[in-house]
Amino acid sequence: QRTAYAITSPSPNEGKTSLALALGMSFAASGSRTLMIDCDLIGGGLSSRVKDFTKSPLMTMLLAQRTLSNHQLKAAVKESHRTSRPLDETLISMGHLTREELDRVVEAHSGHDRGLMDVIDGEPLLASVQCLGERRLSVLTLGNAEVDDVLRLSPKKLRRLIEMAKKHYDVILVDTGPVLGSLEAVMVGGQVDAVIMVVSGGTSREVALRAVEKLGNSGGNPMGVVFNRADAADA
C-alpha cells in the first residue's frame, strides 16, 4: 500500500527535517521508492540540507523540456530496464536522439530550479523531482518558491500532488512547517494518510497537545509522537 506521511512539529527547530531525512533514507534502503517533499515555505530546511547532493536524472530533463513524446520516453525507459543499459545509450541506439542533442538537453536544463510550486501549477511531477544518490530516494524541493506562495496552496491542490506522487512512489514524506507557526502544516495534514509529530525536549505539554488538537480539527490523523533531544524526565 502506498502511503503518505506528513512530518511536522508544534514549533520551529524541533528536528522534524532531520527525522524526514532519516526516514527517507531508511525507507529507500529497505527497497521502497521514496519521495521527500519540502512543503515548509518559511524554513525550507529540507531543500537547504539536500542542495549539495541532488541531481536531475536525464528522464527529468527530457520531461521538463518535452524533448520526446511520452510514448517514446516510456518505450526507451522500458528498453533501458530490459537491457540494463543507461537511458542515454538506449535513446541513441533507438534513434530518438544524438549525443549532441542529449548534451544540449543537459546544458539547457542547468540553472532551471523547478520545485514544489511548479508541480502545484500543473507541471509533471517527474519533471521536477531530483535524485539523492540512492536511486530509490528522490526529493521535490521548494525550487523558486517564496514565502508568499503559501497563499497559492489549497487542500485540493495538495491532495492532487499527493495522489500524483502515489502513482510513482511507495512512500511519500512531506516536511511541513510547524503546526503552530505555519499555514501549510494544517493543509498538508488533512491530505496525507498519517502525521508524525516531532516534539523536542523542553517543549511544554500544553503546546504539544494544542498542536495535536489543531491537526485533529483539520482532519489530520496524528500517527504518533517522536521525542527528540529528550531525556527520561521529558518523556
Side-chain angles (χ1 to χ4, degrees):
Q1 182 180 355
R2 300 186 175 188
T3 311
Y5 302 95
I7 317 297
T8 189
S9 59
S11 309
N13 304 314
E14 301 210 48
K16 61 182 180 55
T17 299
S18 296
L19 178 64
L21 279 165
L23 287 173
M25 290 187 286
S26 179
F27 276 120
S30 72
S32 297
R33 291 169 298 174
T34 306
L35 174 66
M36 300 185 297
I37 300 175
D38 192 349
C39 200
D40 182 356
L41 275 82
I42 296 177
L46 182 60
S47 297
S48 299
R49 296 273 287 274
V50 304
K51 184 177 181 180
D52 295 331
F53 303 98
T54 55
K55 61 179 181 179
S56 297
L58 180 58
M59 187 172 70
T60 296
M61 300 179 196
L62 293 168
L63 279 168
Q65 297 177 46
R66 294 176 170 82
T67 309
L68 301 173
S69 69
N70 287 340
H71 176 73
Q72 288 175 314
L73 190 52
K74 286 180 180 178
V77 170
K78 184 176 180 180
E79 180 66 11
S80 174
H81 289 163
R82 187 186 71 81
T83 61
S84 299
R85 294 175 65 187
L87 181 58
D88 59 344
E89 293 182 11
T90 303
L91 288 166
I92 293 172
S93 68
M94 294 177 72
H96 290 323
L97 293 170
T98 64
R99 174 57 64 185
E100 290 73 20
E101 288 171 330
L102 283 167
D103 289 342
R104 285 197 292 270
V105 167
V106 174
E107 184 179 355
H109 190 82
S110 61
H112 290 270
D113 196 10
R114 290 178 173 84
L116 175 68
M117 297 312 300
D118 296 284
V119 181
I120 291 292
D121 289 339
E123 288 293 319
L125 175 66
L126 295 183
S128 301
V129 300
Q130 299 181 73
C131 294
L132 262 178
E134 159 64 53
R135 65 184 179 89
R136 294 187 183 90
L137 183 58
S138 301
V139 61
L140 178 64
T141 68
L142 289 178
N144 294 317
E146 299 179 353
V147 174
D148 289 345
D149 285 328
V150 69
L151 300 176
R152 294 165 53 201
L153 296 177
S154 69
K156 182 178 180 180
K157 290 179 179 179
L158 290 166
R159 182 166 59 252
R160 174 181 169 274
L161 171 62
I162 298 299
E163 290 172 352
M164 196 186 313
K166 284 186 176 181
K167 292 179 181 179
H168 304 284
Y169 298 94
D170 303 312
V171 177
I172 299 97
L173 303 168
V174 188
D175 184 24
T176 78
V179 175
L180 302 179
S182 70
L183 297 175
E184 63 270 25
V186 172
M187 283 193 282
V188 171
Q191 308 311 315
V192 295
D193 299 297
V195 181
I196 301 171
M197 181 84 71
V198 181
V199 179
S200 178
T203 300
S204 73
R205 180 181 179 86
E206 179 186 358
V207 168
L209 289 176
R210 187 149 38 101
V212 172
E213 182 181 9
K214 187 174 181 180
L215 274 174
N217 290 340
S218 66
N221 175 29
M223 179 182 183
V225 175
V226 173
F227 286 106
N228 187 35
R229 299 191 291 268
D231 56 27
D234 293 316

